[in-house]
Amino acid sequence: MADHEKFMRIALDEARKSGAAGNRAVGAVIARGDEIVGIGGNQRESAVDPLGHAETTALLDAVSKTKSLDFSGCTLYTTLEPCPMCCGAIAVNGIEVVVVGAMHTEGNRRWGDYTVQKVTDMIGIGTEIITPMLEDECNAVLHEYDVKLGRA
């Protein structure tokens, strides 16, 4: 059994790095068993990259390290609920489990009635969603950098 808290703490470190670089403070880790195969943080603002979300940068890192597009048997840890775009990337690349730190609330959800569970259920691949994981810490890091960057 993977140590979900350990991997989420690594994702939190990535979130802090992202926030310090001027991005929304979100981090992600992809693990296969106890091995990290990909790690990434949000780079949208610093790289001026509309696809530079934490989950997609972790997937790109994993592809670079493994030279594979098959992530069956992998778990993705993310400090904030993935957006619909990232849910699609997670699904088409075979991620089987997604562990989420903080969920979007009704007040800050940009995509209507969306949730990560609804999107993955709609795609029909049976992704297991585990949440919350270190929710208070994930929300605190997100809020800390939103305040520092004048977004709160």
Side-chain angles (χ1 to χ4, degrees):
M1 178 87 175
D3 185 345
H4 296 318
E5 187 173 324
K6 174 183 92 173
F7 291 119
M8 187 59 76
R9 291 200 182 282
I10 296 167
L12 275 163
D13 288 342
E14 286 301 306
R16 288 181 189 95
K17 290 176 191 174
S18 292
N23 303 289
R24 190 98 197 269
V26 181
V29 169
I30 299 172
R32 182 175 278 129
D34 287 332
E35 176 189 3
I36 294 175
V37 296
I39 193 164
N42 189 357
Q43 299 176 3
R44 277 180 45 92
E45 289 81 8
S46 62
V48 191
D49 180 358
L51 306 178
H53 293 202
E55 299 85 356
T56 56
T57 61
L59 280 164
L60 288 169
D61 185 50
V63 168
S64 175
K65 288 177 179 170
T66 66
K67 307 296 186 228
S68 174
L69 295 171
D70 177 13
F71 295 103
S72 55
C74 288
T75 299
L76 183 138
Y77 298 84
T78 182
T79 59
L80 181 63
E81 180 179 24
C83 74
M85 175 190 73
C86 291
C87 287
I90 289 164
V92 300
N93 289 290
I95 300 285
E96 294 179 8
V97 179
V98 178
V99 180
V100 180
M103 298 292 285
H104 291 285
T105 62
E106 273 190 47
N108 71 7
R109 190 172 286 136
R110 295 172 47 191
W111 306 282
D113 193 27
Y114 145 87
T115 66
V116 64
Q117 189 68 60
K118 285 181 182 178
V119 173
T120 56
D121 286 350
M122 180 183 72
I123 295 169
I125 59 163
T127 304
E128 179 183 1
I129 308 298
I130 299 171
T131 193
M133 177 61 57
L134 303 178
E135 179 179 28
D136 290 342
E137 291 175 58
C138 291
N139 275 322
V141 167
L142 192 62
H143 181 71
E144 173 188 350
Y145 285 97
D146 279 353
V147 168
K148 286 180 181 179
L149 297 170
R151 295 187 183 124

